[in-house]
Amino acid sequence: MPRVEAIALAVEAAVAEAAVTLRPDVLSAMRAALGKESSERGRAVLGQLLENAQIASRDAVPLCQDTGTVWVWVELGAQECLPSDLHAAIDAAVARAYRENALRMSVVRDALFDRTNTGDNTPAFVDITLRPGSGATVHVMLKGGGSDNASLVAMLDPSAGEDGVVETVVRAVEAKASGACPPLVIGVGVGGTFDSVAKLAKKALLIPLDERTPEKRRRALEDRLLTAVNATGIGPAGLGGLTTALGVRVVSAPCHIAALPVAVNLGCSALRTVTVEVG
Amino acid sequence: MSADSIRVTLPATRDNLSALEAGQPVLLSGIVYTARDATHASIAGALEAAGALPFELAGQALFYAGPTPPAAGRPIGSVGPTTAKRMDAWTPALLDAGITATIGKGARSEAVREACVRTGAVYFAAVGGSAALLATHVLTAETVAWPELGTEALVRMELIDFPAFVAIDAAGRDLYAMAPAEWKVAR
Ligand code: SF4
C-alpha cells in the first residue's frame, strides 16, 4: 500500500480511538489523585470523571462533547518519499472519522470573516517533520476549545529565568483554569521563537505522565511547577481542592541570546492523544 | 454524586431557586435549552428586534452546550458544559429578559454575578469533560431553532437527575471565587 494511505488510515483510527478513550497514563494519574484529594467536592468531581471514562469506552461515545480540532504531527522517516498529497489524505481521513464515529464538527471556515461550520471538522492542523530512518511516527491530538483558549505565549527577559517560567504558568492557570476543565495536564514550552514555542508546549502534552525525563533540572522544574499549580486550590473542575493538575511536562529548545519565550498549553481532563508507528 | 444532592426541577421560578446556596450539589430534572456562542448571538438579535425572548424562553434555563450526534441508543452521544465566560457579554440582558437559570462551566464576570442578584437567577456548574456520563441524564433532545448552526442549534432537552453544583446563587455568592480560598484554609 502507498505510505500516504497507511498514514491516513492510522489518522482515521487514531481519531476514533482518542475520542472515546482516556489516555492510560491520565487514567492512572486520575485514580491516584482521587486517593490524595482532600476536598469532598474535588473527590466527587474526580469520581465523576472516572465514571465518565468507563461509560465512554463501554458505549463508544465521546469522552467530551467537544471532540476538538485535530492536530496531526507526522514524523516521517527521511528515507520515505511521499508520492501524493498527504495533507489532502489526512483531511479526508479526519472527515471520515468524524462522520462515521458521530463526533462533533467544531471548525469554522475563517476565524473572523466566515464563521460558518465547515461541516466535516477539517481542515486538520498538520505538521510534517523529518526524522532519521524509515516509516513514520504519527501523533494525533483532539484539542478542546476550552483548554486551548486558556493557553498563552509570553516573551520573557532571559533574566526572568526559571522563576519567570513558574510565574507565567501559575498566572495562566489562575486566570483561566476554571474554564479549562481541571484536573489539567500542563504542557510548557521554553525557547525557540515566538511561533515555535507554542508547538513545544503542545508537544509536551504528548509525553506520558508515567514517563519521567532522566534530566535532573528539567524534572525538578516540572515538580516545582506541579507543586505551585496545585497550591492554587483551584481543584477539580475549578470547584476547590488539591488536584488542579495531574502533571506538568516541559520541553525546551535553543533560542536567541535576548530571548526567553515561554508557552503554556493547558490540556484538560479529557486530554486526547494517540501516537502510532506506521511501518 | 453525593447523597445530599438537592433536587431541582427546571424550569424553576426565582422563588424556587432562592434557597439554593453556592457549593451545594444538585440534581437537575426537567427542561433546558442548549445555547452556545452563535445561538446567543441569534437569541440576542431576536430579543433586540422584538423586545422579548424568542421561542417563549422567558422563565426557562439555558444550558451552554453543543452536543455530539445521537449514539449508543441515546438521543445524543455526549453532552457537557462549555465555558460560560464566553456568554457573559449577553447574559445580563438575557437574565433581565426572563432567563432564570444557566448551566455551564467556569468562572463568570462581575456583571453576571450582579445580574444574578438583581434578577434572582442561579448559575449551575456541571463537570466539564464528563459528557459521556452527563448524556445518560438526557431523556430527549429536540431542535427548536437554527438547525443550520449544527451543534450550536437551539435544542430543547429534558434532563433527569443531571448532576451539577450551585456556582452563583441568587444572593451573589460565587463558588469559583470562594472554593480555592476555602480549600487553602481547610488544609
Ligand atoms: S476543555 Fe476539554 S474537557 Fe473541557 S469541554 Fe473542552 S474538550 Fe471537554
Side-chain angles (χ1 to χ4, degrees), chain B residues 74-76 79 134-141 157-160 162:
Chain B
R74 293 194 278 271
I76 43 174
V79 69
L134 294 175
T136 66
H137 296 276
V138 176
L139 295 175
T140 60
M157 278 184 188
E158 190 180 355
L159 308 182
I160 177 86
F162 179 100

Side-chain angles (χ1 to χ4, degrees), chain A residues 35 76 148 151 154 175 221 263:
Chain A
L76 191 65
D148 228 34
S151 303
L221 177 59

Side-chain angles (χ1 to χ4, degrees), chain B residues 60-160:
Chain B
Q60 299 290 339
L62 293 183
F63 178 18
Y64 305 142
T68 66
R74 293 194 278 271
I76 43 174
S78 292
V79 69
T82 194
T83 307
K85 181 174 65 68
R86 295 197 318 273
M87 318 311 151
D88 284 359
W90 292 290
T91 302
L94 298 192
L95 297 184
D96 285 331
I99 297 294
T100 60
T102 57
I103 307 166
K105 64 163 162 114
R108 311 204 63 171
S109 67
E110 178 60 16
V112 169
R113 195 190 67 81
E114 284 169 8
C116 285
V117 176
R118 180 169 73 240
T119 67
V122 168
Y123 167 47
F124 296 104
V127 175
S130 70
L133 178 145
L134 294 175
T136 66
H137 296 276
V138 176
L139 295 175
T140 60
E142 172 205 344
T143 300
V144 175
W146 305 304
E148 69 279 8
L149 296 180
T151 188
E152 302 206 70
L154 183 73
V155 174
R156 182 182 192 272
M157 278 184 188
E158 190 180 355
L159 308 182
I160 177 86

